[in-house]
Amino acid sequence: MAGRPAVGVLALQGDVREHAALLAGLGADVVLVRRPEELAAVSGLVIPGGESSVIDKLSRTFGMQEPIRAAISAGLPAYGTCAGLILLADEVLDGIDGQQSFGGMDIAVRRNAFGRQTESFEMSLEVPVLGEPPVHATFIRAPIVERVGPDVEVLATLPDGGIVAVQHGSLLGTSFHPEVDGETRFHEMFLERVRDRSGR
């Protein structure tokens, strides 16, 4: 249907349902992506939070790693939250042995950057590109961006300067989980890119 872009949520592991529900509420036709043919049918892909090393391994087991890499390289809009941000990074600084990413964002990300003892925290986060009100951000064993390339736009930082939201071309990533707080504006940004690319 016109105006309803087909958007995939990578459904190998993680908080898939929360993203799917939020995207459907914003008017997207949501496809749960587990196979290459499902990926080929969508105009954008959300990579959810979860465990980045598990999603990495499952993506290889299901034959999804190379199709996702190729789609991102070809310009498919993608949005990664938490583990999804790690998987979009070109460099993972403290991955487990043999861990790989899909890449595409010229960034280096550190997993579990806040220490395993700090399982989660919440804060009000200023995101200038989104305007007011501030974003209620929930961090759960969150990563942090430690390096950004020259074409990467930093969207949000912590008070200490730690980078927690970035965009690079058609790719968007956040260390936190807007989908668990009913915060829709990042997903709206992502859907704008999807519509721009698909002409809908």
Side-chain angles (χ1 to χ4, degrees):
M1 182 165 113
R4 290 183 65 89
V7 175
V9 179
L10 186 63
L12 300 177
Q13 191 259 348
D15 61 338
V16 174
R17 286 180 301 175
E18 292 86 346
H19 281 287
L22 196 157
L23 289 163
L26 292 174
D29 284 332
V30 179
V31 178
L32 300 184
V33 173
R34 298 184 182 92
R35 298 192 296 269
E37 56 267 31
E38 292 160 346
L39 177 67
V42 301
S43 300
L45 181 68
V46 170
I47 306 172
E51 176 48 60
S52 61
S53 60
V54 173
I55 298 172
D56 165 43
K57 287 178 184 174
L58 289 173
S59 76
R60 287 183 267 164
T61 299
F62 283 82
M64 289 298 296
Q65 184 193 67
E66 288 308 320
I68 290 173
R69 285 180 171 175
I72 288 171
S73 180
L76 182 76
Y79 174 29
T81 61
C82 197
L85 170 65
I86 296 168
L87 286 157
L88 286 175
D90 282 346
E91 184 181 1
V92 181
L93 294 174
D94 58 351
I96 67 166
D97 219 23
Q99 182 168 350
Q100 300 175 26
S101 67
F102 303 133
M105 296 190 98
D106 185 10
I107 59 174
V109 171
R110 186 169 300 281
R111 297 165 68 244
N112 301 331
F114 300 96
R116 292 182 182 276
Q117 272 61 49
T118 308
E119 286 298 319
S120 65
F121 65 96
E122 301 177 28
M123 68 176 297
S124 185
L125 194 63
E126 297 289 342
V127 184
V129 72
L130 298 182
E132 295 294 334
V135 169
H136 181 83
T138 298
F139 294 82
I140 304 170
R141 290 181 63 199
I144 201 159
V145 178
E146 294 202 356
R147 176 192 64 78
V148 297
D151 296 325
V152 176
E153 182 181 357
V154 174
L155 301 181
T157 60
L158 299 175
D160 66 2
I163 299 169
V164 293
V166 288
Q167 64 178 348
H168 183 189
S170 60
L171 304 179
L172 178 65
T174 57
S175 298
F176 48 92
H177 292 268
E179 73 283 358
V180 304
D181 292 313
E183 168 59 66
T184 63
R185 288 173 289 172
F186 284 100
H187 290 75
E188 289 167 7
M189 269 179 67
F190 165 67
L191 287 175
E192 283 177 21
R193 284 169 177 70
V194 172
R195 289 189 174 99
D196 287 347
R197 185 168 185 266
S198 62
R200 295 183 186 182

